[in-house]
Amino acid sequence: MTLDIDAILTNPDKNIIVCTGSGGVGKTTTAAALGLRAAELGRNVCVLTIDPARRLAQAMGLTELDNTPRAVVGISNESNSNGSLSAMMLDMKRTFDEVVESHSDPERAEKILSNPFYQALSSSFAGTQEYMAMEKLGQLRAQSQWDLIIVDTPPSRNALDFLDAPARLGSFLDGRLIRIITAPARGAGRGIGRIAALGFGIFTNVLSKLLGAQVLADVGNFVADIDTTFGGFRERADATYALLKDAGTEFIVVAAPERDALREAAYFVERLNQDSMPLGGLILNRVQEVPETGLTQDQILAAAQKLTAEGQGPLTAALLELHAQRMEIKERQKHLAMRFTAAHPNVAVQPIPALAQDVNDLAGLRQIGEALANQGITW
Amino acid sequence: MRNWPEATLHVVTGKGGTGKTTIAAALAIALAKNGHRTILMEVEGRQGIAQLFDTPPLPYEERKIAVAPGGGEVWALAVDTEDALLDYLEMFYKLRRAGSALSKMGAVDFATTIAPGLGDVLLTGKACEVVKRKDKKQDNAYDYVILDAPPTGRITRFLNVNGEMSGLAKVGPIKSHADSVMAVIASDQTAIHLVTLLEEMPVQETLDGITELEENNLPVGGIFVNMTRPPQLDAAQRAMAIAGELPQQEIELDISQSGLAPTPQLMEALLSEASDHAERVDLEITELERLTQLSRPIIVLPLLPSGIDLGGLYELAAIMTASGIGGE
């Protein structure tokens, strides 16, 4: 099954595209290329990137991490459309600070922002980046300035973290443990029974030993300050999660033809299915293309060996060996891709040929955009 | 010349997709060569080692998973934070039973979530415990410990446990635990290796990662350049290939000699692939030069066309040996 990306990009009912996949497969570049193509097809697009390579960021005119969408200059309007492209890099700490500031009076906000636990939470916590990416997505969506938002997901340990981390962090911050542990004065365990209360007693004791009393005090203050102003973290995370299940959202899973990347992609596809989330298809980056010559790898290698054995045409022998190597790489990649397709026959797959050069300007992104939309790529 | 003669703990990091686990595994085989005992540890709960060696998921238990040329042994251990915390509670507080009750309540998860640094101290602490462990004859239980560590973006924070602990307990067992971990990690007992591809983004991340490690006085080891395409053409031939000036007639003649027919399809394929390959190799050379400027050992490993399987790991290990790693 092939993927018709232009049908997704030009569908006015689609306002969010989420690019996901494991690290190092070219998610950010894919998100940027999709954004440029959609803009040149007439959409008003905002690309939310998480951690772009410096030159890719420069290509889109992002010179600093300032948490605000910036217009990308150089969009072609050949097709006489009125598309536009903006791009931004997520600053998770600043996004979190803004959420706190907009939900509390200045005095309390100040107190929260200077709390050591909040500072750790907003800059280095596992899950904060995903939570803030979702938060930012919700904000951009609410601004209604863009009719298509393309999100590049954080480089998590696994792709499912983008879906799960916000809720996990949300329930942790809203959770019973954090409340009981951080408010021993309120009587650890009201309503949870004496035996459990005893358990919590040991737990608090062990925690103070491990972490020190100050950490627990900071957490306690944070929870108290947040409680009165902020409402539920979990609720916020759930609201954005609902946005992802909306029919206006489309997921694009990005992978490379490698075993680990395809395994991650498979997990993600299965999860989307299970949660009835809309999956556009799989983009398979960096596939090895090999022109068809009607010859087998063995025939090519035999010819190369014959030349080498006879001490003739070292250049030609090298070219033949290069060709045979590429055939072998392609075969292995196709084998992996076929295994994915066998397990997920309904997922549209779009192979993108490996480029000899890195992408670092709009022309390069445009070229990838064309490959993304090229339904004639035979691989 | 052998690299890092004193290092027992080899930490392997790299950007996602660069083959960090593969390199760690091949390094464990290379260092086990000629009768050594090595252990490969993973800390991220991904079961990457089991997948690579094609074994069932590893429990929290040291297991022998491979042998090395010349009678060496490779062992493996998958550590997770929860197990490491229970170990720690047992060791310092004799609290194993209470510990497992707490872990059922979700409390271990809670503690490591509140203080992410705690998890890192416990994981690096486990690695250091294995490094220091002695057997009955008071020899090192393992000659080398290879840690498949978190990616480059998080490695300094992961290893710099003293820095991480600054917000936590300033006295007591966990602090002395962190100090003893640091005494191993920030010494020449440790070598931190970075895995990269010869592409702009991973190379930049490697350069940034090394700067950050150096700023924190952590011992940087070597740079493992993975999945390179060995140049099939020399510099002059590459320039000709890119310019489209390879001697077509000569090549056609050679092909006829070789027993194949120089069809237009074959000629077109060979010439376009030559130009593509030349561009790619030139790019890789530029990126390699950026790394060479650091004056650190660089170990170059090829892209294996058949992919990474157990045989591939031994192939990579042999190249590491030839590049001055282990094998004495």
Side-chain angles (χ1 to χ4, degrees), chain A residues 173-224:
Chain A
L173 291 171
D174 290 346
R176 204 169 56 160
L177 271 181
I178 201 169
R179 266 139 235 285
I180 292 167
I181 270 55
T182 56
R186 287 204 304 241
R190 239 181 310 163
I192 55 168
R194 271 194 33 216
I195 294 179
L198 201 65
F200 282 117
I202 296 175
F203 178 42
T204 323
N205 186 7
V206 171
L207 266 193
S208 333
K209 277 197 180 122
L210 284 176
L211 308 174
Q214 188 54 47
V215 173
L216 291 187
D218 292 340
V219 176
N221 289 336
F222 171 75
V223 170

Side-chain angles (χ1 to χ4, degrees), chain A residues 61-115:
Chain A
L62 297 174
T63 45
E64 53 182 333
L65 186 125
D66 65 355
N67 214 29
T68 315
R70 300 281 171 202
V72 177
V73 184
I75 308 303
S76 144
N77 268 326
E78 273 173 35
S79 55
N80 240 347
S81 58
N82 290 315
S84 70
L85 178 63
S86 298
M88 68 165 286
M89 278 189 264
L90 179 76
D91 178 338
M92 69 168 168
K93 171 139 181 50
R94 193 178 302 188
T95 304
F96 212 149
D97 289 356
E98 284 165 10
V99 171
V100 169
E101 281 161 356
S102 64
H103 285 82
S104 21
D105 57 76
E107 195 187 334
R108 199 178 293 275
E110 179 52 40
K111 230 179 123 196
I112 296 172
L113 297 186
S114 60
N115 183 310

